[in-house]
Each structure stands twice: as structure tokens, then as C-alpha cells.
């Protein structure tokens, strides 16, 4: 029988009583972990007279491990795990309650560093002063409330709980455990919530004789005499019998013979006592040895703590300060990405919700002891990982597809053509991942395969240089210990080096709200969200902190532009021969030529993308330049230059070089001449096959796109404002089908079926992953809309000629919480799978005669047949079709 079997537990309880009575002790104190405690309580209730002198205790170490898991559950997707991963291994196990006591130490160090900003700003004489300050800040921000109530206060409770055991303080133990209970309820740790409350109430009503001993600290155990070294009874067992059982002299993994196990278990403590006595004789020690200091006071531990604190602090400096309400929007913000959670998230109210659940549960006792404890706290993780599917939520992209595969392997009559016409996932997995749209990672392959390279010596010196300012910033020396002014000086030196030989057009990115590039910026998330207040005298933060955060980068660009246009000494020294034109956040660039500063109204543009502005200004300069250079590494810029160079019928030499020295130089003129057969189709093909704003299809690379272009497939309707969308879809369908190896396809669902058959054909031993199948026609159309919109912006450089277009009509949805646009994966109202697949029910019947009553969910659902998904399938249920 298993240890959790009621008969096994009753035998253990009877034996424990016998051992207690043999020592002359009336009351039996039995400690169990939660699983066994639940069984022991049920045995006690079944035989109250027999066990009237037995006091059941819930294992304190396991209760603390579950409490840590509750913190991990409530703080999910708050980037708590990312911070800890910087210095600790196995963080996911830590936050699931494992790796004790490393998880307690990690959370304690993190709480110290989070509190650092508030402690250094004020004087706190008592803990109450600190708590008052935290409460004041928490009242101003939901984000602060989350970190205070769900991290900092729980860490305080953990420390208090440990202290109670170390010092043998019974009242502190009870008081702390009472404050831990709401977290069990809030995190839906239903067993600890239910039985934890019962444990607390029974411990508050201990027999006077037992209570008198517990008040003296006799509820704890110690390995040796000393101070501050009391431990929980279940921890004592784990660190002795369980530890020895796994050790070199242990029994675990050696044998399962009952008699051998019995001899080892009953004799182990005697062997340990003999071993301990021999060690004392050898070292000249006595059994009265006491521990006078704790290992936490050791030099090695202090050094390790200092190293870990420094690592956590460095990580936190890149994030939004969780305790600074001035940096937080109205909602709950992810401190790493800066994104705001949806209104459905209520984890900031976790403690109050837990308290209410606790009070409601206790009010219904004793009859409501087994009432369902529903989940009422919505964390950031639940919203992030779930997707609405009809009236339910789907948490796994492959859940529906897995059902289809299983049905195909069974005797069900499945029309695969009909089934594959549905997406079979909450998002089209060929174009979306669980965390968002697939951004083309291999864009540079297109540039590398088409670009005609020339030697930098043979390219000649340009008399006009157009520079991608945002790319340039990454290549300029970053003075680690300097100020922002020091970095701006380095920028001016680099710009001045270009001004020696040519006019310079310096162009920086713009960052508008509700931008179609929002998804790309999120996809490039680097874990930097801390917004700094930058000025010329500010100490320069790390390069990644500034250039990977939109707000920080906007400030830096603004400072650079202001300094470039306002530094008269720089003007006199560097712009005497050649002019500098700076394009920042203002619609009209600023031109500087020695002492003359003017506004270039002829270059006015409202485009957000620097890529478009770079090409726009390059074309404007083409009429007055003899040789033109564009300094950029971006593939989008390359495609735009090639397209518009041919479109404008230019003849001047134009080179494209990297802001990093030593890289290849591309000749745009030669590239256009070499690939004249596909140049006109290159821009829409690049947009359509995956760019910063359009999803790429899994398995369809830029090489496949070029092959299709050379095969004669056209995409000239994409980006043509006069083309009907039906024509755009038809052309896009034919092109993408060709990329998948399907000719003359009229419908993407048809292509999807063909690819399925091909992947399941001869030579293939496994069913294809859903992501390798093309998207369905509905999902594909949404992506084509986005490509069409992007191509329109790329084709029409002059914003005065640009028609008024609403991104929401082209496959985008507004996210008002984050002031951004998110791609529409599948149109609203489109079913993800046939009804009979979505309606399939899985029962959990495991009895010898399964599904014989209405307790079976399949039987209760109008007599539905059981399927291979049901738990009864291996047993041999007669209802399985």
C-alpha cells in the first residue's frame, strides 16, 4: 500500500501512539506533509475517540515551500524569474517550491535590492515606518501594490516564519501562518488553504499541557544544541533519514525487499548514534557540543551574498523601478517590457481577495469544508498565455491539432479536407508564435544574395552622404564612466568625419503612438524598461539601457539633435565646406552651413520610419550629387533604394555602406542593372514575405522568394493603391503557394491540404508540425492586408501624396493600454475547428467499471461517446468508439 493510503496512515498513527505511551507521554505529536496530513485528519475524524490524545501538525518546511510556490504563481510574467535567473540556476524550480532553502535566500536578496531605492531615500527607525512608506507608495500605483503585497510582504512573512522556528517562538509561528493563509487562497493552493486553516484553528486550541511545552519552544527539533538553529520536524526528517537514504550508505535505489527496508529504517538511528560517538572519541569532543554561530555568518557566505546582490542590482537597474509610482502608468506594468496588463488582471488585489476567500470559506464550516475553492485572482501569466476560443480559452497552440491527429489515428470518420480548412489553433502557427508575430530573422539573406559588392577604394568618395542615425549610435564609442555630453561629443566627431568630404544628411527614427512597428519593437524586447531622465550632465547609463529603451532613446536623440543644431563652435569647425542636415522628431529637418541655420521645408515629411526618410532624402539629393553614399545596414533600406533607384531611372553612382568600418560596400547602380528582371517586384515581395511589420511564414525564406520572382511570379498589385483587394489576394495566393511548391493554386486552404499530403507521403514517418502548414485563407488575408499597407507606405515616399489609410482596416487592432497596434491573427467570428472537435469532452474515469454513472462527464453530456483522450481508454471502456 502507498504511504497515503488511509490504512497505512492509521497503522502509522497507532504505532506512534504506542511509542509515545511507552515513554510515559500522554499526548502524541505527529507531523506530516500536506498529502499525509490530509489523510491523517480524515483518519482522526473517522476515529475521534481512539485518537483523542493525538495532535496533528502540518509540516512547516513543506508549508513554506508551498508558500514560495504561491509567490511564484502570483508573480508569474512579472519578470521576477528573469531577475533571479541573472544570478541563480533552476529558478523555475525555485518558484515552484523546490530547491529549498535556496529559493528563500534568492527571494530575500531580491527583496533587499528592490527595497534599496526606498530605504536610501528616507530614514526609517522602525519596521512600521518602512511599512507605512510602502503602503503610501502602493496606494499610488497598482504595480507598486503588486510588488509590495505579493513579493516584499511575503518575503517578510517567510523571514518571520523561519525566525519563529529558529527561536522556538510558538506564538510567532501561529501569527505568521495566519498571515500566510490568504496567499494560499489567492494562488489557488486549495489543499494548503483548506487544511492550513484547519491546522491553525486546531493549534490555537491545544491541550494546556501540550501548549505549555510548545510555549517553551519544544515544538522544534535541533541537530545539535545551540542558538537560532531550531528546524521544522519535517525538515529534520528530510535532513536525516531521507538524506541518508539517498546517500552512500542509503537504501534508496538498492533494494525494495520489505524486510531489508524494515531493518534499515529501524536501525539507522542506532547506527548514526554509534557513528556520532566514534567521531566524538576521535576528535575529543563531547555530546554537549553547542553551535555558537550560524553558517550565514561565515566569510564565504557573506562574499557569495555580496556577489549575488550586485548581480540582482545590475539587472534591476535596466528595469522600471517597481516601487517608483512616477514611472508607472495606471495599469499593472511589466517592469521589463514596459507593457501594461489588460484590465482583467487583478493580482494587485491578491491579498484582499485571499482574505475574503478565507473569511467566506471559514463562514461555511464545518459543512462547507469540501466546498470548491474557485480561482479568483487573474495574474499577468494567465492573460499572456491564454487565447479566446469561442466561449472558452485555449492555453496551448497545439491542443486542437493534437485532437485531430488522434482522431485520424482512430476509427473516427474525419474529412481531412474540411478539417484543414480551419486553422486548428488560436493563432495561425505558420505566422505567429505563442508570444506574438513571427518576425523574419533572415532578412539580411536577401541583401547578401542580391547586393553587388565593390571595394571601398573603387567606390569613390561621395559628395553627399545620407546616414541612418539610429544605426550609427550603436557603433560610436560609449564612454562607460562618462556623461551624456561625452557621448554626444563622440557623435559629433563621427559626423564631422563624414563632413570632411561630403554634405551629410543625418536621419533618426521617430517613435509615434499606435505605430505599425509596435510589434517589432516588442519582438526585439531586450529586457530593458527603466526610463532615465537624461541631460547633458547626466551620468551615462549602459548602452543597452539607453538604446534598447524607446523612451531613453528618444531623449538621447533629442539631446543629440539639439546639440548638433546649437553648437556654434562645431558649426564653424565642421560645416565650413559642407552642410549638415539633421532630421529628428520635427517634420522639417534643420540645415546647418557654418553660421547659417535654416529649416528645410522642401524635405518636410510625416513618415515615422527612418528607412523611408533615408530613401526620400537620398532621391532628393540625387539631382544635385555626383556620387551618393547611404550609411546603413538595414535590408529594408537596401530594398527601398533598389526599387526607387530603378523607378526614378537614376544613373548616378550610389553606394550603400555599413556604419561599422570594414564591412562590405554595396553598389546600388550595379545591383539594379544585374537584377533588372526582378527589381520591380522586389519591394512588394520583401514586404509580403516578412519585414518589420509583416509576419513571415515558417519555412519560407527570402531565398524561396527570389526563386519565385525569377520564375515569373508577380506581386505588382501589392502596394498599388488603385488595385482591388481581390486582385491583391489572388496574386499573393499564387505567389505564396509557389513558395510552398504548389503551382496554379487558387486558395490557401487548397495549398494547405496539398502540403499536408506531401508531408504525410512516402518517406515521412511522422505527422507534420502544424507550423509547417500554410495558413488558412482567412488568416492569410489578414497578413496580406498588412503587407499591402506597408508596401503602399514604401512606394509613396511623399506624405503629401499618401492617401488617408486606417491601419485598423489593414489587419491591425488598437491596444489603448499600451498605445500601440497589434496584428490581427484571425478575423473575429472565424471558427478555429469543426464544432464536433471543439465540443469533445475528456472524462477522468479510472475505476474498474468506468463511465457507468452520470458522474462521468461524457455520460452527463447527453451520452457522448468516450474517446482516446479519456482516462478510461487504457482501462478498456466500452464507450470508447
Amino acid at each position: 500500500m502507498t504511504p497515503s493510503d488511509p490504512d497505512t496512515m492509521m497503522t502509522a498513527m497507532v504505532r506512534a501512539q504506542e511509542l509515545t505511551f511507552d515513554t510515559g507521554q500522554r499526548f502524541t505529536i505527529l507531523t506530516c506533509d500536506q498529502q499525509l496530513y490530509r489523510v491523517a485528519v480524515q483518519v482522526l475524524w473517522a476515529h475521534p475517540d481512539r485518537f483523542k490524545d493525538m495532535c496533528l501538525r502540518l509540516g512547516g518546511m513543506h508549508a513554506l515551500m508551498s508558500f514560495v510556490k504561491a509567490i511564484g504563481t502570483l508573480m508569474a510574467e512579472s519578470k521576477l524569474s528573469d531577475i533571479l535567473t541573472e544570478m541563480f540556476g533552476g529558478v523555475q524550480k525555485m518558484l515552484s517550491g523546490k530547491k529549498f532553502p535556496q529559493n528563500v535566500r534568492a527571494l530575500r536578496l531580491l527583496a533587499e535590492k528592490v527595497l534599496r531605492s526606498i530605504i536610501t531615500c528616507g530614514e526609517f527607525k522602525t519596521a512600521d515606518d518602512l511599512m507605512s512608506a510602502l503602503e503610501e507608495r502602493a496606494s499610488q500605483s497598482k504595480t507598486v501594490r503588486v510588488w509590495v503585497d505579493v513579493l516584499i510582504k511575503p518575503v517578510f512573512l517567510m523571514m518571520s516564519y523561519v525566525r519563529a522556528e529558529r527561536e522556538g517562538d510558538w506564538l510567532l509561528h501561529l501569527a505568521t501562518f495566519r498571515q500566510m493563509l490568504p496567499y494560499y487562497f489567492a494562488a489557488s493552493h486549495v489543499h494548503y488553504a483548506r487544511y492550513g486553516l484547519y491546522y491553525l484553528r486546531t493549534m490555537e486550541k491545544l491541550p494546556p499541557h501540550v501548549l505549555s511545552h510548545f510555549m517553551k519552544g519544544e515544538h522544534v527539533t535541533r541537530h545539535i544544541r545551540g542558538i537560532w538553529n531550531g528546524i521544522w520536524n519535517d525538515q529534520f526528517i528530510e535532513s536525516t533519514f531521507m538524506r541518508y537514504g539517498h546517500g552512500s550508505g542509503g537504501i534508496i535505489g538498492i533494494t525494495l525487499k520489505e524486510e531489508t527496508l524494515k531493518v534499515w529504517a529501524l536501525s539507522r538511528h542506532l547506527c548514526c548514534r554509534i557513528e556520532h560517538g566514534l567521531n566524538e572519541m576521535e576528535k575529543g569532543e563531547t555530546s554537549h557540543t553547542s553551535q555558537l554561530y550560524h553558517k550565514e555568518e561565515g566569510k564565504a557566505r557573506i562574499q557569495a551574498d555580496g556577489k549575488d546582490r550586485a548581480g540582482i542590482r545590475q539587472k534591476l537597474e535596466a528595469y522600471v523601478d517597481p516601487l517608483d509610482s512616477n514611472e508607472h502608468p495606471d495599469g499593472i506594468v511589466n517592469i521589463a517590457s514596459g507593457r501594461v496588463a489588460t484590465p482583467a488582471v487583478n493580482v494587485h488585489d491578491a491579498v484582499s481577495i485571499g482574505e475574503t476567500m478565507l473569511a467566506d470559506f471559514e463562514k461555511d464550516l464545518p459543512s462547507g469544508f469540501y466546498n470548491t475553492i474557485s480561482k479568483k485572482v487573474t495574474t499577468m501569466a494567465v492573460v499572456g498565455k491564454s487565447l479566446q476560443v469561442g466561449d472558452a480559452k485555449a492555453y496551448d497552440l497545439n491542443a486542437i491539432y493534437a485532437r485531430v491527429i488522434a482522431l485520424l489515428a482512430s476509427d473516427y470518420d474525419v474529412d481531412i479536407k474540411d478539417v484543414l480548412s480551419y486553422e486548428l489553433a488560436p493563432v495561425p502557427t505558420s505566422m505567429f508564435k505563442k508570444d506574438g508575430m513571427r518576425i523574419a530573422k533572415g532578412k539580411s539573406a536577401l541583401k547578401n544574395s542580391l547586393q553587388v559588392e565593390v571595394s571601398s577604394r573603387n567606390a569613390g568618395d561621395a559628395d553627399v552622404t545620407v546616414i541612418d542615425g539610429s544605426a550609427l549610435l550603436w557603433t560610436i564609442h560609449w564612454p562607460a564612466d562618462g556623461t551624456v555630453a561625452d557621448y554626444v561629443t563622440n557623435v559629433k566627431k563621427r559626423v564631422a568625419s563624414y563632413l570632411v568630404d561630403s554634405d551629410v544628411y543625418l536621419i533618426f527614427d521617430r517613435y509615434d503612438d499606435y505605430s505599425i512597428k509596435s510589434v517589432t519593437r516588442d519582438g526585439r524586447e531586450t529586457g530593458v524598461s527603466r526610463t532615465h531622465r537624461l541631460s547633458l550632465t547626466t551620468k551615462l547609463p549602459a548602452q543597452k539601457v539607453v538604446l534598447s529603451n524607446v523612451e531613453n532613446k528618444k531623449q538621447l536623440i533629442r539631446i543629440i539633435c539639439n546639440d548638433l543644431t546649437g553648437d556654434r563652435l562645431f558649426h564653424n569647425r565642421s560645416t565650413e565646406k559642407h552642410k549638415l542636415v539633421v532630421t529628428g522628431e520635427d517634420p522639417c529637418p534643420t540645415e546647418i552651413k557654418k553660421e547659417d541655420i535654416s529649416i528645410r521645408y522642401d524635405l518636410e515629411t510625416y513618415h515615422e520610419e527612418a528607412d523611408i526618410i533615408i530613401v526620400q532624402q537620398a532621391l532628393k539629393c540625387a539631382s544635385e550629387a555626383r556620387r551618393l553614399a547611404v550609411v546603413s545596414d538595414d535590408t529594408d533600406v537596401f530594398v527601398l533604394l533598389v526599387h526607387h533607384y530603378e523607378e526614378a531611372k537614376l544613373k548616378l553612382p550610389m553606394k550603400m555602406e555599413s556604419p561599422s568600418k570594414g564591412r562590405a560596400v554595396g553598389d546600388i547602380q550595379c545591383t539594379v542593372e544585374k537584377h533588372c528582371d526582378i527589381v520591380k517586384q522586389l519591394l512588394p515581395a520583401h514586404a509580403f514575405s516578412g519585414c518589420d511589420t509583416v509576419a513571415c511564414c515558417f519555412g519560407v525564406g527570402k531565398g524561396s522568394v527570389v526563386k519565385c520572382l525569377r520564375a515569373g511570379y508577380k506581386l505588382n498589385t501589392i502596394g498599388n493603391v488603385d488595385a482591388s483587394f481581390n486582385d491583391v489576394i489572388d496574386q499573393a495566393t499564387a505567389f505564396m503557394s509557389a513558395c510552398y511548391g504548389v503551382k496554379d493554386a487558387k486558395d490557401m486552404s487548397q495549398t494547405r491540404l496539398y502540403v499536408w499530403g506531401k508531408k504525410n507521403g512516402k518517406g515521412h514517418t511522422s505527422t507534420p508540425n502544424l507550423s509547417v502548414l500554410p495558413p488558412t485563407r482567412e488568416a492569410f488575408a489578414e497578413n496580406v492586408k498588412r503587407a499591402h499597407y506597408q508596401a503602399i507606405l514604401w512606394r509613396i515616399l511623399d506624405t503629401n501624396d499618401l492617401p488617408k489609410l486606417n491601419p485598423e482596416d489593414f489587419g491591425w487592432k488598437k491596444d489603448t493600454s499600451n498605445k500601440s497596434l497589434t496584428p490581427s491573427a484571425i478575423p473575429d467570428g472565424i471558427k478555429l475547428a469543426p464544432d464536433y472537435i471543439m465540443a469533445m469532452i475528456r472524462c477522468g474515469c479510472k475505476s474498474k467499471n468506468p463511465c457507468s454513472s452520470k458522474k462521468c462527464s461524457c455520460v452527463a453530456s447527453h451520452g457522448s461517446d468516450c474517446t482516446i483522450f479519456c482516462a478510461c481508454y487504457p482501462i478498456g471502456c466500452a464507450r470508447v468508439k
Side-chain angles (χ1 to χ4, degrees):
M1 291 186 291
T2 62
S4 58
D5 187 278
D7 291 338
T8 305
M9 178 52 66
M10 186 170 181
T11 302
M13 293 169 68
V14 170
R15 181 58 180 157
Q17 275 190 328
E18 292 173 355
L19 292 173
T20 303
F21 294 157
D22 289 345
T23 61
Q25 182 176 310
R26 174 187 171 188
F27 294 97
T28 302
I29 313 300
L30 184 64
T31 301
C32 312
D33 62 21
Q34 189 279 322
Q35 182 185 16
L36 297 182
Y37 181 83
R38 177 169 59 90
V39 180
V41 167
Q42 293 169 352
V43 172
L44 181 66
W45 289 347
H47 305 279
D49 294 333
R50 184 166 189 174
F51 298 110
K52 62 181 179 179
D53 292 332
M54 178 167 284
C55 299
L56 297 176
R57 289 201 61 204
L58 187 60
M61 183 191 75
H62 287 88
L64 183 57
M65 291 168 66
S66 182
F67 186 69
V68 172
K69 184 178 180 181
I71 297 174
T73 299
L74 296 173
M75 292 292 289
E77 289 302 313
S78 65
K79 294 303 176 181
L80 172 66
S81 60
D82 287 17
I83 300 171
L84 295 178
T85 301
E86 187 74 11
M87 296 306 299
F88 303 100
V91 170
Q92 292 305 321
K93 286 188 175 181
M94 285 186 182
L95 296 180
S96 66
K98 307 296 183 182
K99 292 182 70 92
F100 175 86
Q102 293 95 326
N103 50 13
V104 173
R105 173 176 174 267
L107 290 173
R108 173 174 59 81
L109 294 178
L110 174 58
E112 288 179 19
K113 292 294 100 182
V114 171
L115 284 169
R116 185 176 181 275
S117 62
I118 188 173
I119 290 177
T120 54
C121 292
E123 296 182 2
F124 305 106
K125 296 181 180 180
T126 66
D128 290 338
D129 293 341
L130 176 60
M131 295 307 298
S132 297
L134 289 174
E135 281 297 323
E136 182 180 355
R137 292 199 178 197
S139 65
Q140 300 170 2
S141 166
K142 291 181 180 179
T143 304
V144 178
R145 176 62 68 188
V146 170
W147 283 79
V148 169
D149 282 1
V150 191
L151 176 70
I152 294 175
K153 287 184 178 179
V155 168
F156 288 166
L157 288 177
M158 286 193 307
M159 296 299 100
S160 178
Y161 193 64
V162 171
R163 177 184 176 184
E165 209 67 15
R166 296 289 183 267
E167 297 180 350
D169 191 333
W170 178 245
L171 295 182
L172 181 60
H173 168 80
L174 294 181
T176 305
F177 190 77
R178 167 60 184 82
Q179 295 179 70
M180 292 163 61
L181 280 175
Y183 291 91
Y184 294 130
F185 278 92
S188 294
H189 289 200
V190 293
H191 293 311
Y192 270 98
R194 179 178 286 116
Y195 288 94
L197 178 59
Y198 172 80
Y199 166 73
L200 178 66
R201 296 306 180 221
T202 54
M203 292 299 100
E204 290 174 342
K205 298 178 181 179
L206 286 172
H209 177 72
V210 176
L211 180 61
S212 66
H213 284 277
F214 280 15
M215 291 295 290
K216 296 174 185 177
E218 296 177 13
H219 62 287
V220 305
T221 52
R222 290 181 171 86
H223 286 293
I224 59 175
R225 297 182 182 183
I227 57 174
W228 220 76
N229 63 356
I231 59 175
W232 298 279
N233 296 338
D234 55 333
Q235 184 180 6
F236 190 89
I237 296 170
E238 293 282 349
S239 58
T240 51
F241 273 83
M242 300 299 291
R243 173 186 165 197
Y244 299 144
H246 285 88
S248 58
I251 197 69
I252 296 176
I254 304 299
T255 182
L256 292 176
K257 292 182 179 179
E258 185 176 348
E259 287 301 317
T260 307
L261 291 170
K262 187 186 298 182
V263 170
W264 185 90
L266 296 178
S267 63
R268 184 62 193 174
H269 65 292
L270 296 175
C271 295
C272 288
R273 184 174 295 179
I274 294 171
E275 182 183 7
H276 182 65
L278 291 173
N279 288 333
E280 287 181 347
M281 292 173 61
E282 180 183 2
K283 297 178 182 178
E285 298 176 350
T286 68
S287 59
H288 299 293
T289 300
S290 298
Q291 180 180 351
L292 301 178
Y293 62 90
H294 197 274
K295 65 180 180 180
E296 295 283 346
E297 300 175 280
K299 183 178 179 181
R301 177 54 61 86
I302 292 174
Q303 290 177 343
D305 284 355
K307 180 181 178 181
D308 291 340
R309 286 190 181 97
I312 293 172
R313 178 180 176 183
Q314 183 178 8
K315 190 74 173 179
L316 285 172
E317 286 177 348
Y319 289 172
V320 171
D321 187 345
L323 299 186
D324 187 355
S325 58
N326 294 324
E327 296 185 21
H328 304 158
D330 293 336
I332 301 173
V333 66
N334 182 309
I335 67 168
S337 66
R339 294 188 65 80
V340 180
T342 63
V345 175
N346 63 350
V347 69
H348 59 290
D349 293 325
V351 177
S352 59
I353 292 173
E355 287 284 2
T356 302
M357 294 173 68
L358 170 60
D360 292 342
F361 179 77
E362 188 166 19
K363 182 175 62 178
D364 293 337
L365 295 179
S367 60
F369 186 80
Y370 292 109
N371 286 353
T372 301
I373 300 176
S374 302
K375 187 173 183 179
K376 297 184 178 180
V377 175
T378 303
T379 67
M380 297 179 78
V382 173
V383 174
K385 72 181 182 180
S386 66
L387 293 151
Q388 197 72 25
V389 181
D391 296 329
K393 287 184 178 180
Y395 294 85
D396 187 348
L397 295 186
N398 292 310
I400 304 174
Y401 185 57
R403 291 182 178 186
V404 173
I405 299 304
L407 288 178
L408 288 172
S410 67
D411 295 332
Y412 269 77
D413 184 15
V414 178
D415 183 353
I416 191 62
K417 181 178 180 180
D418 174 62
V419 169
L420 287 179
S421 66
Y422 297 87
E423 196 57 55
L424 305 180
V427 296
T429 55
S430 57
M431 301 186 298
F432 284 76
K433 297 180 292 185
K434 197 167 186 176
D435 56 352
M437 194 170 76
R438 289 186 187 275
I439 304 299
K441 300 295 185 183
K443 288 197 307 178
S444 58
L446 180 66
K447 175 171 172 280
N448 295 337
S449 64
L450 298 180
Q451 178 177 257
V452 176
E453 296 182 2
V454 295
S455 168
S456 56
R457 294 180 180 178
N458 297 333
D461 293 329
D463 54 342
V464 175
T465 302
V466 183
I467 302 175
D468 182 347
S470 295
L472 187 72
L473 296 182
W474 285 98
T475 65
I476 295 173
H477 173 65
W478 195 272
D481 297 322
T483 63
V484 173
D486 296 330
Y487 179 71
V488 173
T489 299
N490 292 342
V491 173
K492 290 190 289 188
K493 288 179 181 178
R494 177 69 70 85
V495 173
S497 68
Y498 287 108
L499 284 166
V500 171
D501 299 314
S502 67
D503 293 342
V504 172
Y505 288 74
L506 182 63
I507 299 154
F508 291 102
D509 274 317
R510 295 166 178 172
Y511 299 91
D512 298 338
D513 292 338
Y514 300 105
S515 167
I516 61 172
K517 297 196 75 170
S518 302
V519 65
T520 309
R521 292 164 188 160
D522 291 341
R524 292 172 179 166
E525 176 58 52
T526 55
V528 177
S529 59
R530 173 70 63 87
T531 300
H532 293 262
R533 295 177 178 86
L534 300 180
S535 66
L536 286 171
T537 58
T538 304
K539 186 181 184 303
L540 191 64
Q543 184 185 46
K544 180 180 176 181
V545 171
V546 177
L547 299 184
S548 297
N549 178 281
V550 169
E551 292 302 321
N552 292 335
K553 194 173 181 181
K554 284 169 64 176
Q555 292 183 69
L556 181 64
I557 290 173
R558 189 178 300 118
I559 291 171
I560 292 172
C561 290
N562 290 339
D563 199 78
L564 285 172
T565 57
D567 188 344
R568 296 290 182 177
L569 182 59
F570 171 76
H571 300 168
N572 290 329
R573 288 179 176 176
S574 303
T575 63
E576 184 175 0
K577 295 181 179 179
H578 299 100
K579 63 187 176 184
L580 170 65
V581 180
V582 180
T583 304
E585 59 188 0
D586 294 328
C588 298
T590 301
E591 180 180 308
I592 304 157
K593 184 66 168 68
K594 204 172 182 180
E595 295 183 355
D596 295 330
I597 300 176
S598 58
I599 304 299
R600 291 290 300 270
Y601 293 102
D602 59 316
L603 296 178
E604 180 182 19
T605 181
Y606 291 90
H607 275 297
E608 178 194 10
E609 290 187 71
D611 303 347
I612 297 175
I613 303 173
I614 289 169
V615 176
Q616 184 183 32
Q617 294 191 10
L619 294 178
K620 192 79 173 180
C621 298
S623 59
E624 58 188 54
R626 291 178 292 104
R627 290 180 176 272
L628 194 145
V630 176
V631 180
S632 177
D633 264 334
D634 196 274
T635 302
D636 295 351
V637 174
F638 168 76
V639 170
L640 284 167
L641 284 173
V642 169
H643 174 85
H644 287 285
Y645 187 98
E646 195 279 336
E647 190 80 9
K649 307 299 181 185
L650 299 179
K651 297 298 181 182
L652 85 161
M654 181 185 292
K655 66 179 180 179
M656 182 177 178
E657 62 185 57
S658 171
S660 298
K661 301 297 182 182
R663 292 188 180 178
V665 177
D667 189 319
I668 299 299
Q669 184 181 25
C670 293
T671 300
V672 171
E673 292 172 355
K674 181 178 180 180
H675 304 291
C676 58
D677 57 327
I678 63 171
V679 165
K680 291 192 175 189
Q681 308 298 323
L682 193 58
L683 183 147
H686 175 55
F688 171 61
S689 60
C691 59
D692 286 349
T693 58
V694 182
C696 64
C697 284
F698 183 85
V700 178
K702 296 295 182 180
S704 301
V705 171
V706 173
K707 287 182 181 179
C708 289
L709 289 177
R710 296 204 186 280
Y713 287 92
K714 305 295 183 183
L715 285 171
N716 51 290
T717 58
I718 293 182
N720 184 346
V721 292
D722 297 323
S724 71
F725 189 67
N726 287 335
D727 292 340
V728 172
I729 284 289
D730 290 343
Q731 207 172 56
T733 299
F735 189 94
M736 185 55 71
S737 296
C739 290
Y740 278 101
V742 182
K743 297 181 179 180
D744 303 323
K746 303 295 183 182
D747 183 271
M748 282 307 296
S749 295
Q750 176 187 343
T751 303
R752 183 177 170 91
L753 179 63
Y754 177 86
V755 173
W756 163 272
K758 186 177 179 181
K759 295 291 183 181
N760 274 294
K762 185 178 180 180
H764 292 271
T765 58
S766 61
T767 303
N769 191 297
L770 185 60
S771 61
V772 306
L773 300 180
T776 58
R777 70 171 72 90
E778 295 85 3
F780 180 70
E782 293 297 295
N783 206 47
V784 173
K785 288 178 184 178
R786 290 186 286 272
H788 188 46
Y789 182 84
Q790 180 65 80
I792 290 173
L793 298 182
W794 281 351
R795 285 182 187 272
I796 305 176
L797 298 178
D798 191 343
T799 51
N800 293 323
D801 298 332
L802 194 67
K804 290 185 178 180
L805 303 173
N806 183 359
E808 293 181 79
D809 296 331
F810 289 86
W812 298 95
K813 293 181 179 179
K814 270 191 177 182
D815 178 359
T816 54
S817 298
N818 295 288
K819 295 184 178 180
S820 62
L821 294 173
T822 58
S824 169
I826 300 175
D828 295 336
I830 299 298
K831 292 183 178 181
L832 304 182
D835 292 337
Y836 68 90
I837 291 178
M838 295 301 294
M840 287 180 64
I841 296 172
R842 178 188 185 278
C843 74
C845 303
K846 295 182 181 180
S847 65
K848 294 179 180 179
N849 186 21
C851 311
S852 57
S853 68
K854 287 191 176 181
K855 290 183 178 179
C856 169
S857 55
C858 291
V859 175
S861 180
H862 307 290
S864 300
D865 290 325
C866 291
T867 67
I868 59 175
F869 304 108
C870 296
C872 62
Y873 177 74
I875 303 172
C877 176
R879 298 182 59 84
V880 176
K881 185 176 179 180

